Amino acid sequence: MKRRHKRIGIIIIGLAGLTLAAYLVMGAFRQNLVFFFSPTQIAAKEAPIDRTFRVGGLVENGSLKRDPDGLTVRFTVTDTAASIPVVYKGILPDLFKEGRGCVAQGKIGADGVFRADQVLAKHDENYMPPEAGAALDAAKHEREAAKTVVDH
């Protein structure tokens, strides 16, 4: 084998290795990417059924219920236009309360119940995750637009 052929072979093997590494990195990135959906988007069936994603909004007043096991909590997340029932098994953050903002990460079941594996609570009165705030604002504008159409 000529020296030139050896170099071409090494270059081809190197490019194949780089391609494989890039493919593996992109696959891992795609698996760890978590999208945000509002309750309105979930109700409109825009959220994936078999993938982990986040849902955010306000914890609906009067919806917080604890199961007898002490760890399972059921509540409803709303963006004031639509509501999604959530089930979470674990310890909730100290700031988690009804009427306050939260973001839950998990999967939605075929029954329409969101099964969270992580729940984040709003940390003070001035902060709301940007996606959750935008979803609440959009739902508020849709509700006001519907009222305007009905009034005329």
Side-chain angles (χ1 to χ4, degrees):
M1 212 172 182
K2 291 183 181 178
R3 193 172 176 183
R4 180 175 166 207
H5 291 127
K6 285 182 183 179
R7 281 190 199 152
I8 291 174
I10 291 172
I11 290 172
I12 289 173
I13 290 171
L15 287 174
L18 283 174
T19 303
L20 177 64
Y23 176 77
L24 293 174
V25 167
M26 292 304 290
F29 180 72
R30 232 179 287 121
Q31 285 179 345
N32 292 326
L33 192 62
V34 179
F35 291 102
F36 176 88
F37 291 91
S38 70
T40 301
Q41 290 173 310
I42 295 170
K45 308 281 188 216
E46 295 177 21
I49 298 286
D50 57 344
R51 285 200 55 170
T52 299
F53 63 92
R54 290 182 176 174
V55 61
L58 300 174
V59 179
E60 212 169 72
N61 288 323
S63 70
L64 185 61
K65 308 260 187 286
R66 294 184 186 276
D67 285 2
D69 68 2
L71 284 178
T72 305
V73 181
R74 299 171 191 280
F75 58 94
T76 304
V77 174
T78 183
D79 61 3
T80 68
S83 299
I84 297 296
V86 178
V87 175
Y88 173 67
K89 187 169 187 166
I91 299 171
L92 289 170
D94 291 337
L95 297 174
F96 184 88
K97 292 183 178 38
E98 292 180 344
R100 293 226 180 146
C102 82
V103 174
Q105 181 174 314
K107 294 181 180 181
I108 190 129
D111 58 356
V113 176
F114 187 82
R115 286 170 177 61
D117 51 22
Q118 184 179 21
V119 173
L120 307 169
K122 182 170 117 169
H123 74 276
D124 72 12
E125 293 302 316
N126 299 321
Y127 176 77
M128 168 114 14
E131 298 93 347
L136 287 171
D137 288 342
K140 182 179 176 183
H141 291 302
E142 285 178 22
R143 206 173 56 250
E144 288 174 359
K147 284 181 185 176
T148 308
V149 170
V150 172
D151 291 342
H152 286 28

